[in-house]
């Protein structure tokens, strides 16, 4: 099994989302989800942050990273 090389850089993980705020926090009441499945971004690259728009795929290809969204499912 090939081993992955992990490169750790000392830089901000958030490139440009809500940089005027001291800390970015989003909260969601799961009972209020309108769709059966909602994907929330964890790569900080989404153009629709806090929702995932698939930008993590490009980020992972370019960097060798392995980030993906948080999936919330409505019961
Ligand atoms: Fe960031 Fe999908 S775009 S996790």
């Amino acid at each position: 099994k090939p081993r992955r090389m992990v490169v750790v850089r000392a830089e901000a993980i958030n490139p440009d989302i809500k940089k005027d705020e001291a800390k970015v926090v989003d909260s969601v009441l799961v009972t209020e989800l309108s769709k059966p499945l909602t994907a929330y971004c964890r790569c900080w690259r989404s153009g629709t942050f806090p929702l995932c728009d698939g930008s993590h795929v490009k980020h992972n290809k370019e960097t060798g990273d392995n980030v993906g969204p948080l999936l919330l499912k409505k019961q």
Side-chain angles (χ1 to χ4, degrees):
K1 184 174 176 179
R3 299 185 73 187
R4 291 180 55 137
M5 177 189 271
V6 178
V7 178
V8 178
R9 286 177 260 161
E11 62 186 43
I13 191 169
N14 176 9
D16 57 11
I17 295 171
K18 299 181 183 177
K19 294 303 266 188
D20 56 325
E21 297 181 15
K23 179 168 52 177
V24 179
V25 177
D26 297 292
S27 60
V28 175
L29 292 176
V30 176
T31 56
E32 293 180 0
L33 290 176
S34 59
K35 295 186 287 185
L37 179 67
T38 305
Y40 283 85
C41 177
R42 293 189 299 177
C43 75
W44 296 84
R45 304 298 188 278
S46 176
T48 59
F49 195 89
L51 300 177
C52 171
D53 70 353
S55 294
H56 60 269
V57 175
K58 180 174 181 265
H59 167 75
N60 287 345
K61 282 183 181 172
E62 291 176 349
T63 65
D65 211 344
N66 64 348
V67 295
L70 167 67
L71 301 178
L72 295 185
K73 297 176 182 177
K74 186 175 182 180
Q75 286 188 317

